[in-house]
């Protein structure tokens, strides 16, 4: 399958990229694996993927945003100062 081949080709670089953004190795691995899962689900559903690397890294960026949003402090920063 061409999509699994794309994952095998790009996963080492994807993992390094995610790890450069997430210090905790286990969390970085989870984020990268989740990106691959979403990528393969999209590929399996028959959605057109013209640039597998770009698509995979785009998903990883979305997963990184979600990761950091879950870890953001609760509440409004400005209100904590007053």
């Amino acid at each position: 399958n061409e999509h699994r081949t794309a994952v095998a080709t790009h996963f080492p670089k994807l993992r390094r990229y995610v790890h450069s953004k997430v210090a905790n190795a286990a969390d970085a691995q989870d984020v990268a694996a989740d990106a691959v899962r979403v990528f393969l689900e999209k590929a399996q559903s028959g959605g057109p993927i013209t640039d597998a690397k770009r698509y995979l890294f785009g998903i990883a960026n979305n997963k990184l945003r979600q990761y950091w949003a879950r870890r953001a402090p609760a509440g409004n920063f400005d209100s904590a100062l007053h």
Side-chain angles (χ1 to χ4, degrees), residues 28-48:
Q29 183 67 22
D30 288 347
V31 170
D34 201 28
V36 168
R37 179 189 57 78
V38 171
F39 174 84
L40 291 174
E41 285 174 358
K42 176 71 173 180
Q44 189 175 28
S45 73

Side-chain angles (χ1 to χ4, degrees), residues 9-73:
T9 299
H10 300 300
F11 189 73
K13 188 172 183 177
L14 178 77
R15 185 177 51 223
R16 284 190 304 273
Y17 171 72
V18 172
H19 190 66
S20 76
K21 307 293 183 193
V22 177
N24 181 289
D27 287 349
Q29 183 67 22
D30 288 347
V31 170
D34 201 28
V36 168
R37 179 189 57 78
V38 171
F39 174 84
L40 291 174
E41 285 174 358
K42 176 71 173 180
Q44 189 175 28
S45 73
I49 298 173
T50 56
D51 185 339
K53 179 181 179 183
R54 181 181 219 161
Y55 196 76
L56 184 58
F57 276 76
I59 294 168
N61 279 319
N62 288 337
K63 293 299 176 183
L64 284 165
R65 279 193 280 281
Q66 291 169 1
Y67 171 85
W68 286 114
R70 286 191 305 270
R71 279 145 187 80

Side-chain angles (χ1 to χ4, degrees), residues 77-82:
F77 181 74
D78 288 338
S79 66
L81 296 175
H82 298 107

